[in-house]
Amino acid sequence: MNEKSPYEIRNFGISAHIDSGKTTLSERILFYTGKIHKIEEVRGKSGVGATMDFMDLEREKGITIQSAATFCQWKDMDMNLIDTPGHVDFTVEVERSLRVLDGAVLVLCSVSGVQSQSMTVDRQMRRYKVPRIAFINKMDRAGANPYRVCEQLREKLGHNARLIQIPIGAEDQFKGAIDLVEMQSYTYEGDNGENIVISPIPADLQEKAEEYRAILIDTVAEYDDELAEKYLDDKPISAEELKRAIRKGTLSLKFTPVMVGSAFKNKGVQHLLDAIVSYLPAPYEVRNEALDQDNKEAPVVLETNKDKPLVMLAFKLEDGRFGQLTYTRIYQGKVGRGDTVLNIVSGKKVKVSRLVKMNANEMVEVEEAKSGDIVAMFGVDCASGDTFTDGTLNYTMASIFVPNSVISLAISPKDKGTQSNFSKALNRFTKEDPTFRVHRDDESNETIISGMGELHLEIYVERMKREFNCEVIVGKPQVNFREAITQKAAMSYTHKKQTGGSGQFARIAGYMEPWEDCGDSNYIFEDDTVGGSIPRQFIPACEKGFAEQSKTGLLIGALVTGIKFVVDDGLYHPVDSSDLAFKLCSMAAFRESYADAKPVILEPIMKVGVEGPDEFQGVMMGLISQRRGVLTGTSGQGNYSQIEAEVPLSEMFGFSTDLRSATQGKGEFSMEFNRYAPVPRNIQEQMVEEYKKKRAAGT
């Protein structure tokens, strides 16, 4: 492989709401860059499936489950592409991809426009400061309107978005696009749209093209002084000058260029590739920081330079045919086959025995990779989010944002003989996916798996069966409720125990109160004692007691969140006081005062988007209302209705089946976690009674 400079690399991802055409677009990109020689469809009749959806489950369900990486070349530019899932249950795949990518393509449906998951993806892009190009796909669909979608980008997502192309025709008359930068017309011919025909702008669209070019220039002029001067003097502006201004605006995250096309109909993809080269950043143009562990985690800016010491991040793990496959992004330095690297998190040195570039599930061996590259290593034991260096630096990269799980299932192997495979599968999945969590319920003695939604857990149950030959018995889905207090309550408790010899003695006083800003923890602890009323060595034991007791609330045994514990007084005994005594005293003080703090049960509230034909709008609203849903917005596009609502997760089980039945299979919905909110009083009383009965039956 010819060595490329950091300018000649583009690392980008494709993200969107489910079913907007991400994987179809990826397939066309691979075809036009010569990576594949035959286009396969996501739900193709051949049964082969798209290249990037290589899992059997992905091909059966017609959705992307895992982010898939590939590399290709376009006009001498090396491209590392990651196709990400659109379903919110697999949102961590989007998170970890955007964490390591330099740019992104936000795909939008020309009919549905900005949808609920489009907003989620956009938030993720902002979190990691990823410049993006918007691609309005499915221009061949009935009701296609790119002008409305561009306006939605501005109104709903707050983008400074402008079309850099306008379509030639729409729906079944969609032929191509007019490039407002070059002011030329592009149409696509041949079986797969591989022949691009360049021609003058059609006379009936000339005036419209000039109008939208003026709007584009007016918007991007603020990012380029030279262009602004020419614009104010009413001088002609060349394509190169306009490209330069668009690039500056895009890289600064202040402008979003918008393109149009139809990946399925093979129109507009080649020009999207040109735009990726022209407007998305090269690795050296992105500011990447590491945390210096030898200097109190002070931020350090990394250089995209192969001659600097190595810093790379493991962002995704996969169980491959030859063992663990670790996807890494190299931010600084280089790594070669046979090199020894240091895992900063575990402190272990590992030898890089194999280094590969991935094309979905196919591998290409490489001898060396350098800063800016995305490669995979074999046989390296690590976890997702670990940082590797050459041993001369003690740097770590900030890891990804991991949302809390909202749904749980009790599972157990059907056959006791597969217990070993059952354990292996759970260990594998928790290592691969930070949003997949496993714990043991002490009361029921069951194994509980938790995740982001029904589909998320359903996929892992199916993978256990297929990949680990382990069928499981699945319990009823359980919602991850929380508890919280609503008012301040005083705490004062004395713990005494005398059992011959030295006893136990501790007394603490203070208060608990609601506290929103607890960071990554569910509680905050504050020591306000003075005068040695509680010796310093016992303070950690007090915190430990509160932390342990807060894991099991007294209403339904759920985790207590958003709570602050303050200890401001106490007593100790020189002989009978101990860590254990103060820990038990804190736990008892919590239990005794909890009711005074007026606790409530919190339930996960989901942001739900429902879409379907106008004729079913009333039915769809009724289904939401029946589930304690609150409508937050409605909109219509063509003859389609979009409904946005907030609905408790506990009420959403079976919604998919009910929606399909009520809309003759034409309705669809998406759902993501929004916030926790108190359950209604009558439901809380019912849940508390059920918990009491369960505990009584257990004892």
Side-chain angles (χ1 to χ4, degrees):
M1 295 178 82
N2 295 328
E3 184 172 325
K4 296 285 182 182
S5 76
Y7 183 79
E8 297 172 304
I9 299 173
R10 293 292 181 273
N11 295 316
F12 70 100
I14 297 178
S15 299
H17 182 90
I18 190 168
D19 210 22
S20 294
K22 298 177 302 301
T23 303
T24 303
L25 177 59
S26 300
E27 191 78 1
R28 299 311 187 269
I29 287 174
L30 294 180
F31 177 77
Y32 296 128
T33 56
K35 200 71 187 175
I36 59 173
H37 302 291
K38 183 186 176 187
I39 293 171
E40 296 287 354
E41 302 305 339
V42 175
R43 294 183 177 91
K45 292 177 183 176
S46 68
V48 176
T51 307
M52 302 298 270
D53 282 352
F54 56 84
M55 285 176 69
D56 290 341
L57 276 167
E58 291 179 314
R59 290 176 175 176
E60 286 170 23
K61 292 182 179 290
I63 61 169
T64 302
I65 293 168
Q66 289 188 338
S67 52
T70 189
F71 69 99
C72 52
Q73 274 198 334
W74 178 252
K75 297 182 179 177
D76 294 327
M77 185 73 68
D78 277 2
M79 291 188 163
N80 291 309
L81 159 65
I82 298 182
D83 174 30
T84 64
H87 201 288
V88 72
D89 282 17
F90 310 105
T91 190
V92 74
E93 293 287 332
V94 186
E95 287 279 348
R96 59 174 147 212
S97 300
L98 291 175
R99 170 67 184 83
V100 299
L101 293 171
D102 302 324
V105 176
L106 175 62
V107 182
L108 300 159
C109 173
S110 65
V111 180
S112 303
V114 173
Q115 297 165 279
S116 56
Q117 188 66 4
S118 314
M119 297 178 187
T120 304
V121 167
D122 183 64
R123 279 200 308 274
Q124 292 170 319
M125 290 179 182
R126 289 177 194 271
R127 183 179 294 136
Y128 300 109
K129 296 181 173 63
V130 178
R132 80 292 307 253
I133 294 169
F135 181 70
I136 300 174
N137 194 23
K138 301 191 176 184
M139 280 297 303
D140 55 302
R141 271 188 65 183
N145 187 338
Y147 305 102
R148 184 186 61 224
V149 178
C150 186
E151 201 54 40
Q152 286 182 349
L153 271 169
R154 299 172 67 82
E155 291 174 0
K156 289 189 175 184
L157 298 183
H159 284 226
N160 187 13
R162 293 295 182 197
L163 289 161
I164 61 171
Q165 294 178 321
I166 60 170
I168 302 172
E171 302 178 347
D172 58 348
Q173 297 299 310
F174 178 62
K175 296 183 176 66
I178 293 168
D179 187 331
L180 300 177
V181 177
E182 303 281 355
M183 287 301 276
Q184 287 179 321
S185 169
Y186 294 93
T187 53
Y188 306 87
E189 296 181 358
D191 293 341
N192 296 305
E194 60 268 48
N195 302 323
I196 303 170
V197 179
I198 304 172
S199 55
I201 297 171
D204 60 328
L205 288 171
Q206 182 70 40
E207 190 178 328
K208 192 170 192 177
E210 287 172 1
E211 177 194 344
Y212 275 89
R213 189 176 201 257
I215 292 170
L216 174 63
I217 292 170
D218 183 49
T219 305
V220 299
E222 64 177 287
Y223 311 119
D224 190 294
D225 292 341
E226 197 176 315
L227 184 141
E229 204 172 301
K230 277 194 167 187
Y231 176 61
L232 291 171
D233 292 341
D234 208 19
K235 291 180 179 176
I237 291 167
S238 70
E240 286 309 310
E241 288 169 327
L242 187 47
K243 272 186 185 178
R244 186 181 66 218
I246 293 171
R247 181 176 178 80
K248 284 181 181 178
T250 306
L251 297 192
S252 68
L253 305 176
K254 293 175 181 175
F255 178 71
T256 303
V258 184
M259 306 185 71
V260 297
S262 169
F264 184 65
K265 296 291 185 181
N266 311 307
K267 291 179 171 67
V269 179
Q270 298 97 316
H271 285 95
L272 175 62
L273 285 166
D274 288 338
I276 288 165
V277 172
S278 298
Y279 306 131
L280 290 186
Y284 77 92
E285 293 175 293
V286 178
R287 181 186 174 92
N288 293 302
E289 290 184 348
L291 305 175
D292 188 350
Q293 298 302 313
D294 294 334
N295 187 22
K296 300 177 182 177
E297 295 197 342
V300 182
V301 178
L302 300 175
E303 291 184 47
T304 308
N305 185 336
K306 67 175 185 176
D307 298 321
K308 293 284 183 180
L310 173 71
V311 179
M312 66 179 180
L313 176 71
F315 68 94
K316 177 177 162 63
L317 308 181
E318 234 177 60
D319 200 12
R321 288 168 292 178
F322 307 103
Q324 180 172 299
L325 189 62
T326 304
Y327 287 81
T328 62
R329 162 72 195 261
I330 304 171
Y331 287 97
Q332 182 175 281
K334 62 185 177 183
V335 63
R337 194 165 69 172
D339 287 356
T340 300
V341 294
L342 174 67
N343 184 333
I344 297 296
V345 178
S346 69
K348 292 179 182 175
K349 287 188 174 182
V350 288
K351 189 173 182 180
V352 180
S353 56
R354 286 182 72 190
L355 205 58
V356 296
K357 280 201 165 192
M358 299 301 297
N359 177 27
N361 63 337
E362 296 173 0
M363 295 169 289
V364 177
E365 299 270 354
V366 294
E367 291 295 319
E368 185 182 82
K370 61 191 182 311
S371 52
D373 281 339
I374 293 174
V375 291
M377 304 184 291
F378 269 112
V380 175
D381 185 29
C382 68
S384 183
D386 286 0
T387 303
F388 292 89
T389 73
D390 59 2
T392 62
L393 299 174
N394 192 19
Y395 291 174
T396 58
M397 302 293 293
S399 198
I400 63 169
F401 168 77
V402 180
N404 291 322
S405 55
V406 294
I407 187 171
S408 300
L409 290 174
I411 61 168
S412 58
K414 244 182 194 176
D415 180 1
K416 286 188 177 176
T418 60
Q419 182 69 48
S420 172
N421 286 2
F422 179 70
S423 299
K424 281 179 188 172
L426 294 179
N427 287 335
R428 178 78 244 161
F429 298 154
T430 50
K431 215 171 183 184
E432 278 182 14
D433 183 353
T435 60
F436 179 81
R437 298 173 173 96
V438 182
H439 75 275
R440 192 89 176 157
D441 188 309
D442 295 331
E443 285 187 10
S444 61
N445 211 26
E446 292 177 316
T447 299
I448 309 293
I449 58 172
S450 304
M452 301 308 297
E454 283 183 278
L455 181 61
H456 188 211
L457 298 184
E458 180 191 316
I459 292 295
Y460 278 116
V461 166
E462 188 62 29
R463 283 185 64 188
M464 281 186 200
K465 180 181 172 182
R466 297 188 185 201
E467 296 173 26
F468 292 87
N469 196 26
C470 176
E471 290 203 40
V472 295
I473 300 165
V474 180
K476 193 179 173 185
Q478 303 167 351
V479 175
N480 288 352
F481 291 99
R482 298 279 187 265
E483 294 183 29
I485 60 172
T486 58
Q487 67 181 41
K488 187 175 179 178
M491 295 186 296
S492 181
Y493 190 82
T494 302
H495 172 71
K496 285 185 193 175
K497 194 172 182 183
Q498 197 68 43
T499 54
S502 61
Q504 292 179 8
F505 178 85
R507 179 180 180 276
I508 67 163
Y511 58 91
M512 63 172 80
E513 64 179 342
W515 200 260
E516 287 186 10
D517 189 17
C518 290
D520 295 331
S521 179
N522 66 303
Y523 74 94
I524 277 195
F525 176 79
E526 197 172 286
D527 170 27
D528 281 356
T529 56
V530 292
S533 55
I534 299 177
R536 297 256 67 79
Q537 68 265 29
F538 296 137
I539 296 298
C542 295
E543 180 176 359
K544 195 173 180 183
F546 288 127
E548 196 166 309
Q549 189 60 61
S550 70
K551 290 177 183 174
T552 313
L554 304 181
L555 295 179
I556 58 168
L559 179 74
V560 184
T561 62
I563 187 167
K564 181 179 181 180
F565 301 105
V566 178
V567 176
D568 55 21
D569 199 4
L571 280 174
Y572 74 100
H573 188 279
V575 176
D576 292 347
S577 289
S578 63
D579 281 347
L580 179 61
F582 273 97
K583 178 186 168 186
L584 294 174
C585 184
S586 299
M587 294 174 77
F590 177 99
R591 291 193 297 268
E592 190 177 72
S593 305
Y594 192 57
D596 296 336
K598 296 286 187 288
V600 293
I601 298 171
L602 304 177
E603 62 181 345
I605 304 294
M606 311 303 285
K607 189 176 172 185
V608 177
V610 185
E611 296 178 13
D614 280 343
E615 61 191 286
F616 299 113
Q617 186 183 43
V619 176
M620 295 187 296
M621 285 181 172
L623 287 175
I624 290 168
S625 299
Q626 290 166 19
R627 288 168 163 76
R628 293 196 282 126
V630 177
L631 295 177
T632 57
T634 58
S635 59
Q637 295 177 3
N639 59 350
Y640 248 61
S641 288
Q642 286 185 337
I643 301 168
E644 291 174 6
E646 292 183 351
V647 190
L649 175 62
S650 58
E651 303 288 344
M652 287 300 293
F653 298 123
F655 183 73
S656 178
T657 305
D658 290 350
L659 180 65
R660 278 198 296 267
S661 301
T663 61
Q664 300 172 9
K666 296 172 185 174
E668 56 184 43
F669 82 101
S670 63
M671 177 173 77
E672 67 171 306
F673 173 72
N674 187 23
R675 60 194 166 86
Y676 271 95
V679 302
R681 176 60 60 182
N682 63 319
I683 293 176
Q684 174 163 318
E685 288 169 0
Q686 186 183 331
M687 291 174 70
V688 171
E689 281 305 310
E690 286 174 5
Y691 179 66
K692 283 178 181 174
K693 286 177 186 175
K694 181 183 170 186
R695 284 184 65 85
T699 55

